[in-house]
Amino acid sequence: MLFRSQIHGLKYTLDHIFKEGIEARHERHARLNAMVHSWVEAKGFVLLPEKKYASKSLTCVRNNLGMDVGGFVKALREEKKLAIDGGYGKIKGQTFRISNMGNETEESMSHLLQSMDEILPRFLPSS
């Protein structure tokens, strides 16, 4: 059963999608995805799955550096008021996911990645 607020929310979102244009929206998602992939590679993480199979709207990052994913996600949320996903099920703590879909922009994604840079060192194992 759909409620009026859900219908209004759907209409609002569809109006924005159609105003931007489907192709332009997909292109923006691809640009943001490239930003995230560049960050992943620059930090020494690897993608899950391989890049050729990766989504254009959500990046799943393998925790190959032994980071405290739970602590990182919590600090990002509490200190920066930003959210990423810390993995789930059997891969909880072994991955984290960064969304670049919806209404994200170059500015919002840059802000997220910069904020992640600021707190990341605290959650990597000491060398």
Side-chain angles (χ1 to χ4, degrees), residues 59-79:
T59 300
C60 187
V61 183
R62 186 184 311 264
N63 183 17
N64 58 296
L65 301 181
M67 175 176 70
D68 172 8
V69 172
F72 180 66
V73 170
K74 182 178 178 183
L76 189 62
R77 182 181 63 246
E78 291 177 357
E79 297 172 27

Side-chain angles (χ1 to χ4, degrees), residues 80-92:
K80 303 294 186 177
K81 309 300 184 230
L82 297 168
I84 62 171
D85 182 73
Y88 59 94
K90 292 180 182 179
I91 59 173
K92 186 173 183 78

Side-chain angles (χ1 to χ4, degrees), residues 5 8 10 19 23 25 36 44 47-48 58 68 71 87-90 98 110 116 118 122 124:
S5 61
H8 288 289
L10 176 62
K19 182 178 179 181
E23 285 186 26
R25 192 170 186 88
V36 174
L47 298 174
L48 178 72
L58 180 75
D68 172 8
Y88 59 94
K90 292 180 182 179
I98 304 168
S110 291
M116 290 170 62
E118 291 171 9
R122 296 189 340 232
L124 291 171

